[in-house]
Amino acid sequence: MKKKQEKYRRIEFYKKYFDEFFLKQSQKVKDKILWTIELIEEIESVPKTYLSPINKGLYEIRGKLGSNIYRIFCFFYKGKIVVLMNGFQKKTQKTPKLQIEKALRIKKEYEDEKK
């Protein structure tokens, strides 16, 4: 019998922001995203290849499949909860400013609801 893996973090999905992105992806991309999410939950020290800070408490989950690059914005809440928000397919070297601004608005919305 396989021993259940201890989880260092818990993933939380906020509203439908993540779902709207996830459901549009191919099955291979979905599988890669789910694999990365499990990694973030189960590994104590997640490499920046998969989870990288942006600014103002905002992080991006990073995924790549072939030449396609995907990003999912998230943030930590109460230390061990990772809240997933909007995602997008990255087409340029820099993360688009509008995507970052949207993620910061969603983060504020979440934090305001938790007050």
Side-chain angles (χ1 to χ4, degrees):
M1 184 185 273
K2 188 177 176 185
K3 185 181 175 194
K4 189 170 166 98
Q5 175 76 33
E6 178 185 340
K7 294 194 176 191
Y8 290 98
R9 288 164 211 85
R10 190 179 90 218
I11 300 294
E12 187 174 289
F13 303 94
Y14 180 56
K15 293 191 175 175
K16 298 232 181 264
Y17 295 110
F18 172 77
D19 288 346
E20 289 171 357
F21 163 74
F22 185 77
L23 294 173
K24 293 177 190 171
Q25 306 311 312
S26 71
Q27 190 58 50
K28 282 187 175 186
V29 172
K30 287 177 183 176
D31 292 344
K32 179 74 173 197
I33 290 169
L34 293 173
W35 178 87
T36 307
I37 288 171
E38 280 184 27
L39 182 90
I40 291 167
E41 286 181 314
E42 295 175 357
I43 292 182
E44 187 172 9
S45 182
V46 181
K48 284 189 176 183
T49 309
Y50 301 108
L51 182 65
S52 183
I54 302 280
N55 66 10
K56 299 179 184 172
L58 194 61
Y59 288 76
E60 65 179 6
I61 296 172
R62 306 166 72 130
K64 185 175 182 183
L65 191 63
S67 61
N68 296 318
I69 299 170
Y70 300 91
R71 298 291 187 255
I72 300 161
F73 288 111
C74 62
F75 61 93
F76 286 84
Y77 182 73
K78 294 189 176 180
K80 297 285 183 182
I81 300 171
V82 180
V83 181
L84 301 190
M85 302 180 293
N86 56 315
F88 66 100
Q89 184 175 350
K90 192 170 176 188
K91 298 181 187 279
T92 61
Q93 194 66 26
K94 285 188 68 130
T95 300
K97 189 177 180 185
L98 286 176
Q99 291 289 349
I100 293 172
E101 289 169 356
K102 179 179 179 181
L104 289 170
R105 280 194 309 274
I106 295 169
K107 181 177 182 282
K108 182 178 182 336
E109 181 183 331
Y110 179 93
E111 291 168 342
D112 288 348
E113 283 183 13
K114 293 293 183 181
K115 287 181 182 175

